[in-house]
Amino acid sequence: MKGRIHNFNAGPAAHPLPVLKEIQVEFLNFKDSGMSIMEVSHRSRWFEGVIQDAKERVRRLLELDENFHIVFMQGGASMQFCTIPMNLLPDGQSADYVNTGTWATKAIKECTIQGKPAKVVASSEDKGFSYIPGEISFSPDAAYAHITSNNTIKGTQWASFPDTGGVPLVCDMSSDIMSRPFDVSPFGLIYAGAQKNLGPAGATLVIIRDDMLKRVPEDLPTMLKYTTYTGHNSMFNTPPCFAVYTVQLVLKWLEETIGGLDKMEQINREKASLLYRTIDESGFYRGTADEGSRSMMNVTFRLPTEDQEKQFVQQALEHGLSGLKGHRSVGGCRASIYNATSLEGVKVLVDFMGEFARTNG
Ligand SMILES: *Cc1c(COP(=O)(O)O)cnc(C)c1O
């Protein structure tokens, strides 16, 4: 078998190697239970300990006070696109949405197909979603203002969050949660599918401010109500135990090995600036996102021709660099450099990019 490669996949994506090794060590016999974590009851003290520790780590890492509830749901970020308006957008009100790409567009669609008004207060569609809109006027009476903090496909990211004038922010942080510290106080709800920056697919982290729960209508189906999850410690039904366990280990790695979100941001900045510098100074590669809107997580770029892009992806693979093909909807190339992608891996990538540019430019 060949060794492990440098993984630049967009999602599911790289996990920290120490986490994978810890899973391996514990896999057959979790904490002297004589069983795998996949085999124990979700009501057992073993899994209770896992989910409790995961929640405490989320709370510490993001500095969440007691006003915030932390739950794990299923259905991915895509399920949140419909549950958010169902739960948080009362009849007779409308919600503001900022359209910054594919995922935001889908969130808007899931609101409008319920017959609920989604007001698009800003969009970057005019330039192929290559930038984050500035100077947005939010509606003072909006139920919430929805944004996507990092646009995984187009490689743009909010450098700082917009001032909504008190309207609660609702944010899809699927592809940059835990990559940097931020002030949580303007947020009414934050959600993230785990498979980019938190762990395996199957668990979705949702953070909800207490006052938002008062809006949840009584007559929603039980499994689609946020209050079902906050009221039952995410265990009204069987949670995705193995995924939550892995998320817990990733959070432990973030706190104990990396040293928290300030440290994580420093490393992420270093990785991203190395890549963007390589692109900008090459005279060969061309970044696709506007400079002030560039993502620290997904670096999107083009080569002079599509044929060269194909060769680039192919030869990169031969150098042990995987996952560099852009999203099928936009083409080009993309290096996803989430928390678990090491600086060393990025250095190998920029060396390869330099060599490829010299021989093909
Ligand atoms: C990947 C992604 C999604 C979709 O997530 P699923 O868990 O597959 O539903 C939504 N939003 C963003 C920003 C993403 O990166």
Side-chain angles (χ1 to χ4, degrees):
M1 192 184 84
K2 284 196 285 179
R4 285 177 58 77
I5 46 92
H6 296 291
N7 184 351
F8 298 95
N9 281 331
H15 284 55
L17 191 57
V19 167
L20 296 178
K21 286 183 171 165
E22 197 167 347
I23 293 171
Q24 197 173 36
V25 166
E26 293 186 322
F27 194 61
L28 296 183
N29 186 358
F30 181 75
K31 305 225 183 299
D32 277 333
S33 65
M35 296 171 274
S36 173
I37 189 69
M38 295 196 303
E39 299 175 301
V40 304
S41 165
H42 58 293
R43 313 263 175 222
S44 66
R45 64 188 162 88
W46 295 292
F47 187 71
E48 285 268 4
V50 164
I51 198 164
Q52 190 56 31
D53 187 67
K55 285 165 60 179
E56 284 168 14
R57 289 185 189 279
V58 170
R59 196 174 291 287
R60 277 197 299 274
L61 282 160
L62 295 178
E63 298 180 28
L64 303 173
D65 65 27
E66 293 304 314
N67 270 321
F68 289 93
H69 302 264
I70 300 157
V71 299
F72 292 98
M73 296 174 67
Q74 299 192 53
S78 300
M79 179 76 106
Q80 298 300 314
F81 296 162
C82 69
T83 50
I84 287 161
M86 239 177 237
N87 282 266
L88 305 183
L89 182 45
D91 288 341
Q93 263 186 288
S94 78
D96 283 357
Y97 279 79
V98 181
N99 191 0
T100 50
T102 309
W103 299 116
T105 303
K106 290 190 179 194
I108 293 162
K109 181 184 170 198
E110 294 300 313
C111 184
T112 48
I113 61 174
Q114 296 179 52
K116 290 174 178 269
K119 184 174 166 199
V120 180
V121 288
S123 167
S124 51
E125 196 170 7
D126 59 338
K127 291 184 182 153
F129 298 118
S130 58
Y131 67 101
I132 298 291
E135 308 284 313
I136 303 168
S137 323
F138 290 94
S139 322
D141 54 352
Y144 58 81
H146 183 282
I147 61 170
T148 313
S149 54
N150 183 71
N151 300 281
T152 324
I153 295 174
K154 293 289 183 171
T156 63
Q157 184 178 28
W158 294 78
S160 61
F161 294 115
D163 181 0
T164 60
V167 173
L169 270 172
V170 168
C171 187
D172 179 357
M173 289 199 190
S174 293
S175 52
D176 69 350
I177 190 148
M178 302 290 177
S179 67
R180 56 180 177 178
F182 62 93
D183 172 19
V184 294
S185 55
F187 291 87
L189 186 145
I190 293 165
Y191 62 103
Q195 70 273 22
K196 279 53 181 267
N197 234 354
L198 290 175
T204 308
L205 174 67
V206 182
I207 298 162
I208 317 169
R209 208 169 62 201
D210 195 56
D211 59 304
M212 306 300 283
L213 294 177
K214 297 192 179 73
R215 304 180 183 184
V216 176
E218 268 309 311
D219 58 357
L220 288 183
T222 310
M223 285 301 289
L224 299 178
K225 276 159 99 161
Y226 289 124
T227 43
T228 301
Y229 295 81
T230 56
H232 293 86
N233 191 24
S234 305
M235 289 196 272
F236 174 79
N237 75 328
T238 320
C241 299
F242 188 77
V244 172
Y245 157 70
T246 306
V247 169
Q248 181 231 344
L249 294 182
V250 170
L251 297 170
K252 189 171 97 171
W253 167 82
L254 249 176
E255 278 198 295
E256 297 176 9
T257 304
I258 297 297
L261 296 191
D262 285 314
K263 289 272 170 54
M264 194 71 253
E265 179 176 18
Q266 271 175 30
I267 299 169
N268 285 333
R269 280 199 185 285
E270 201 177 337
K271 290 187 294 187
S273 52
L274 197 55
L275 259 171
Y276 285 119
R277 209 179 322 126
T278 302
I279 290 167
D280 293 342
E281 291 174 356
S282 68
F284 181 73
Y285 304 102
R286 181 175 54 80
T288 62
D290 277 17
E291 243 178 89
S293 303
R294 284 172 161 183
S295 168
M296 279 202 294
M297 298 277 102
N298 309 96
V299 178
T300 50
F301 55 98
R302 306 289 318 221
L303 275 66
T305 68
E306 282 185 26
D307 198 46
Q308 285 172 319
E309 286 167 349
K310 245 187 229 147
Q311 285 175 31
F312 175 83
V313 171
Q314 176 62 34
Q315 288 182 29
L317 201 54
E318 288 158 16
H319 283 73
L321 301 156
S322 161
L324 293 166
K325 198 166 182 274
H327 191 267
R328 60 196 144 78
S329 64
V330 294
C333 298
R334 170 176 58 175
S336 296
I337 47 170
Y338 301 122
N339 288 354
T341 306
S342 66
L343 179 60
E344 287 65 40
V346 173
K347 284 180 177 163
V348 176
L349 173 59
V350 296
D351 284 348
F352 168 74
M353 288 173 74
E355 186 193 310
F356 190 91
R358 273 191 299 281
T359 48
N360 293 271

